[in-house]
Amino acid sequence: MPDTNILVVGASIAGPMTAYWLAKAGANVTVIERFPELRGGGQSIDIRTTGVAVMRKIPGMEEAVRRKFTQLEGISLVRDNGQPYGTLKATGNPDQQSLVSEYEILRGDLSKILFDMTKDSDKIKYIFNEQIASMQQAESGDGPITVNFLNGFPTSTYDLVVACDGSTSRTRAMGLGCGLRDYVESTNSWAAFFSIDQDLAQGSKVGQGYNATGGRFVALGSDPDGVNRAVFMCLRPHQDAVESFREAMKQGEDALKGFVARHYQEVGWKTPEIIKCMMDSKDFYANEIVQIKPPTLFKGRFVLVGDAGYAPGPTGTGTTLAMTGAYTLAGELNKHKGDLQAGLEGYEKQMRPLIDDMQKTSSVIYTIIAPQTAWGIWIRNHIFAFITWSRIIDVAQRYLGGAFASGDKYALPEYEWAA
């Protein structure tokens, strides 16, 4: 791929990761980001299975991730008075992870690690505060794409355009010639993330989670930066609640905070204090939880990587899919040197089974995380209390832990690299 010019859209996790592997294959990469700088904070994310395998192929990345891990040693489900029903902890073995990951890190921290690893490469150039205005490619799809930019970056021609700009990707709509909501499947769920200065976690390194009826979940944990991180997650509420969330998103951050506050105003535990802190939070971020399922991952010289092409919804595998997709795209393009079409077809062939598997959503996920009724919450809490007290969960994790950490199940391809 020497001297191939590639445009990557988005500087969050998928973008810098894709740029890293494309540069390793010898391509010249331009990364554009619509925000004026990298976004910090965001939700805690896990690196698992093939994501761990990809991470370990990048010198120094595993050590950098472990230096920035969230410090949470486990998660407790709590009563109104804060007393836990039980606590689920990490195994302490990164190759045999539990439901609590050994590689849990804030989205913004992982983006910064990847940016710092790539920003000084002579093969990679970052352009912030820029986005695509339009793209033109030959109807045959067999030629370069001419890209016009919105904020002054000169019109340029690229051999390939890679959309890494998330589940709400506008680039996807341009590249595939579809609508903004096409191939977006709602899970009837949403979440909000933010930091708070008040130490409501009281210094604990065990995160706390609390449930209320209507699929409402509240979580709180400490952070290496000395703040608390809070999450409001609502899974499968009444449909009008999701529609109201979407409407509030269109109106901006203040309207969205107001909606979340109203939706949780009668919830117990520390929720009133968390709501008060949320209203003053400077890094509030919220999104609808969706799955992205386009019929193809590429069209001509345009291709999707990460959430833009295969957001998995509530399964918790988005980061792993993004890291694996970046590695596989570059590997297949390098494998089929000079034949972009064959490389893109190889990428789709390699990724499709993994995507289909990691997008599978069991109703058990919703039952465990966010029961809808008071009775359902009572049953879940007492079952959780029993399995943690009886140590059944420790035995189960001994046999199942590899599924959360090992990439062996998916046979990650091995590639030769130009550099």
Side-chain angles (χ1 to χ4, degrees):
M1 291 179 62
D3 300 323
T4 301
N5 292 313
I6 298 178
L7 177 67
V8 173
V9 183
S12 189
I13 295 163
M17 178 64 78
T18 300
Y20 173 88
W21 288 110
L22 288 173
K24 195 171 177 66
N28 298 309
V29 185
T30 300
V31 183
I32 63 168
E33 168 58 49
R34 67 188 179 95
F35 287 93
E37 59 187 11
L38 283 177
R39 288 174 289 171
Q43 70 265 46
S44 295
I45 54 177
D46 298 336
I47 303 173
R48 298 183 182 274
T49 60
T50 51
V52 175
V54 171
M55 173 177 66
R56 288 175 172 171
K57 292 178 181 294
I58 301 176
M61 183 176 174
E62 183 174 9
E63 293 78 7
V65 168
R66 293 185 69 82
R67 284 195 297 269
K68 293 296 291 185
F69 82 111
T70 60
Q71 293 188 339
L72 289 182
E73 297 174 355
I75 181 75
S76 293
L77 296 178
V78 300
R79 299 175 172 86
D80 282 319
N81 62 4
Q83 290 298 311
Y85 285 92
T87 300
L88 183 64
K89 293 190 175 182
T91 64
N93 179 359
D95 293 315
Q96 193 179 40
Q97 297 184 49
S98 72
L99 290 170
V100 178
S101 175
E102 297 293 330
Y103 299 108
E104 184 171 287
I105 184 172
L106 293 178
R107 176 177 291 277
D109 287 343
L110 183 55
S111 295
K112 181 69 162 54
I113 288 171
L114 293 169
F115 173 73
D116 287 345
M117 291 175 57
T118 55
K119 65 180 181 180
D120 296 325
S121 169
D122 58 3
K123 289 283 188 180
I124 301 171
K125 175 170 62 177
Y126 283 90
I127 307 294
F128 287 89
N129 195 34
E130 190 56 273
Q131 53 189 308
I132 295 177
S134 63
M135 295 189 295
Q136 297 85 39
Q137 84 174 299
E139 289 187 11
S140 65
D142 196 28
I145 299 179
T146 299
V147 180
N148 301 303
F149 297 92
L150 194 63
N151 296 326
F153 192 69
T155 297
S156 305
T157 300
Y158 299 93
D159 298 296
L160 183 69
V161 174
V162 188
C164 298
D165 49 342
S167 60
T168 59
S169 171
R170 292 180 177 274
T171 318
R172 177 179 64 238
M174 288 188 231
L176 296 185
C178 63
L180 289 175
R181 292 288 301 186
D182 288 355
Y183 316 128
V184 178
E185 295 190 7
S186 175
T187 65
N188 198 29
S189 307
W190 51 265
F193 312 89
F194 50 95
S195 64
I196 56 180
D197 294 331
Q198 188 175 347
D199 186 14
L200 297 178
Q202 298 178 325
S204 174
K205 291 188 178 181
V206 175
Q208 297 174 317
Y210 178 82
N211 286 97
T213 56
R216 291 173 292 181
F217 178 72
V218 186
L220 183 69
S222 59
D223 180 84
D225 293 330
V227 299
N228 284 179
R229 296 282 172 180
V231 178
F232 285 128
M233 184 179 296
C234 196
L235 303 181
R236 291 186 170 178
H238 292 300
Q239 184 60 36
D240 58 355
V242 178
E243 292 172 355
S244 296
F245 175 84
R246 291 175 189 161
E247 189 60 34
M249 282 196 71
K250 296 176 183 176
Q251 297 173 29
E253 183 175 303
D254 289 343
L256 198 50
K257 283 182 176 180
F259 168 79
V260 174
R262 291 190 299 274
H263 199 69
Y264 280 82
Q265 64 183 348
E266 298 176 358
V267 174
W269 184 49
K270 297 179 180 179
T271 306
E273 294 97 320
I274 296 174
I275 289 174
K276 184 177 180 180
C277 293
M278 176 190 71
M279 303 306 289
D280 296 326
S281 177
K282 304 301 182 185
D283 60 357
F284 177 87
Y285 169 76
N287 65 288
E288 184 180 358
I289 301 171
V290 299
Q291 291 191 323
I292 304 299
K293 294 185 176 182
T296 179
L297 299 181
F298 69 95
K299 182 178 180 180
R301 298 289 187 89
F302 173 80
V303 65
L304 302 162
V305 172
D307 282 356
Y310 31 84
T315 64
T317 57
T319 302
T320 288
L321 279 173
M323 293 173 64
T324 307
Y327 168 82
T328 305
L329 174 64
E332 290 294 321
L333 291 175
N334 194 48
K335 176 181 175 181
H336 298 277
K337 291 181 176 65
D339 191 342
L340 283 172
Q341 180 72 20
L344 294 172
E345 289 174 356
Y347 165 65
E348 174 108 32
K349 182 178 178 180
Q350 288 289 342
M351 287 299 296
R352 185 57 67 183
L354 186 65
I355 294 166
D356 291 345
D357 191 37
M358 290 192 176
Q359 283 188 331
K360 291 177 182 175
T361 305
S362 170
S363 59
V364 174
I365 292 176
Y366 298 101
T367 302
I368 292 174
I369 298 177
Q372 295 292 314
T373 65
W375 176 239
I377 293 170
W378 187 91
I379 292 175
R380 191 283 312 273
N381 286 345
H382 283 80
I383 291 174
F384 182 73
F386 173 75
I387 64 174
T388 53
W389 169 80
S390 65
R391 309 299 292 273
I392 291 175
I393 192 67
D394 294 343
V395 176
Q397 287 180 169
R398 194 172 303 157
Y399 292 99
L400 298 177
F404 295 112
S406 171
D408 296 341
K409 175 183 177 182
Y410 303 104
L412 190 71
E414 294 293 336
Y415 298 110
E416 296 182 2
W417 302 96

